[in-house]
């Protein structure tokens, strides 16, 4: 009998503080009109001073565990996708494990920037298929507000903080139908945080920098390519996608991807207007939103897509 992973529960969490485009107008030379027309973003959530990625992950995980009917003690693996970990080490996954009270199951982080959740979910699915795991918690959690240059209007208006989580259960029917991951490190320079800890000091510049136009073009190209790859692998037609959940960076990237796939925007889940770009958290946040408001139902086909720094990109075709 084959072993598959099934998404048994989803959850998410957004910090209480909301920062609107109007609020940003007072901080940098920008306008609500510019931000909304170029990106589709109206607002983003910002973590409180003592709130770390593991705290956002904890709340999202509790919601996902509750939805799946799984207790922390029943988890056999925890994977956290984050680019903004609580500290250099231990991993945010280990810190989360302690906060959840899920003793001794393995826990580790995955670092693939805005593709992080897609990478982590793929990793979890492969672990599940090994037959050694029963319930796996996969989280995307980010506090990008900590790595932004708040004086750089070309980047600070684009990102937000948040977390999303899913619980995978072992199943004898799929679930996750296929996953497709890619990376091309030769494009590292177009989106990076080029800093590190060295000799007790920060070396380099530990703030996000991006060539927006280059990232935009790259994202539109690879999101279409990897969607076609996922469709071909499952011998599916575009019309068989019930829901597209792409990384939420810019509504224009999302619209361009939907157009290339002949999908009406009514089949695309978008949260970028309220959450902005939450990197590894964006896909599970959008997934949880559409599961909880009743749009995504059991048996439907959902295509999850990530793209981000590295460069990394990937997709999963999921039967809910
Ligand atoms: O998760 C993956 C990471 N991120 C992304 O996927 C983002 C990808 N890129 C984008 O979303 C878009 O390229 C941006 C939203 C970043 C920029 O949009 P754009 O339409 O490519 O604008 P642009 O960079 O060509 O800038 C147009 C103008 C520039 O002024 P000049 O040179 O034409 O005088 C910018 O200086 O807009 C200016 N500008 C701003 N004006 C007001 C840039 N940022 C702002 C701002 N407010 N916040």
């Amino acid at each position: 009998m084959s072993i598959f992973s099934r998404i048994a529960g989803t959850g998410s969490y957004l910090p209480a503080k909301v920062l609107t485009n109007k609020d940003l107008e007072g901080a940098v030379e920008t306008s609500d009109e510019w931000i909304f027309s170029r990106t589709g973003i109206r607002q983003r959530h910002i973590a409180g001073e003592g709130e770390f990625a593991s705290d956002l992950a904890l709340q999202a995980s509790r919601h996902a565990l509750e939805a799946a009917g799984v207790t922390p003690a029943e988890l056999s693996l925890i994977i956290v996708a984050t680019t903004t970990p609580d500290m250099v080490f231990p991993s945010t996954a280990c810190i989360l494990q302690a906060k959840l009270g899920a003793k001794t199951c393995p826990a580790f982080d995955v670092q693939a920037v805005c593709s992080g959740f897609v990478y982590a979910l793929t990793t979890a699915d492969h672990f599940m298929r090994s037959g050694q795991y029963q319930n796996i918690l996969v989280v995307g959690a980010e506090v990008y507000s900590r790595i932004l240059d708040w004086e750089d209007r070309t980047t600070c208006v684009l990102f937000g903080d948040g977390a999303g989580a899913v619980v995978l259960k072992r199943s004898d029917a799929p679930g996750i139908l296929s996953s497709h991951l890619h990376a091309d490190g030769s494009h590292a320079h177009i989106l990076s945080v080029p800093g590190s800890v060295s000799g007790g000091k920060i070396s380099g510049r530990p703030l996000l920098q991006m060539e927006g136009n280059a990232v935009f073009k790259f994202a539109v190209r690879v999101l279409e390519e990897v969607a076609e790859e996922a469709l071909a692998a499952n011998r599916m037609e575009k019309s068989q996608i019930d829901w597209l959940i792409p990384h939420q960076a810019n509504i224009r990237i999302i619209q361009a991807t939907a157009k290339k796939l002949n999908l009406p925007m009514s089949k695309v889940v978008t949260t970028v207007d309220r959450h902005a770009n939450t990197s590894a958290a964006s896909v599970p946040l959008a997934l949880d939103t559409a599961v909880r408001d009743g749009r995504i139902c059991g048996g439907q086909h959902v295509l999850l897509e990530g793209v981000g720094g590295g460069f990394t990109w990937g997709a999963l075709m999921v039967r809910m």
Side-chain angles (χ1 to χ4, degrees), residues 16-38:
K17 183 180 170 189
V18 172
L19 187 68
T20 65
N21 292 350
K22 282 268 170 227
D23 297 332
L24 281 166
E25 283 180 359
V28 284
E29 202 182 327
T30 192
S31 65
D32 175 44
E33 197 280 326
W34 190 95
I35 301 169
F36 186 68
S37 63
R38 299 291 178 123

Side-chain angles (χ1 to χ4, degrees), residues 30 34 38 114 153 210 212-213 215 247 249-250 252-253 277:
T30 192
W34 190 95
R38 299 291 178 123
C114 301
R153 68 174 183 174
M210 175 167 70
N213 280 312
V215 171
H247 172 49
N250 185 320
R252 289 156 53 215
I253 295 175
N277 182 347

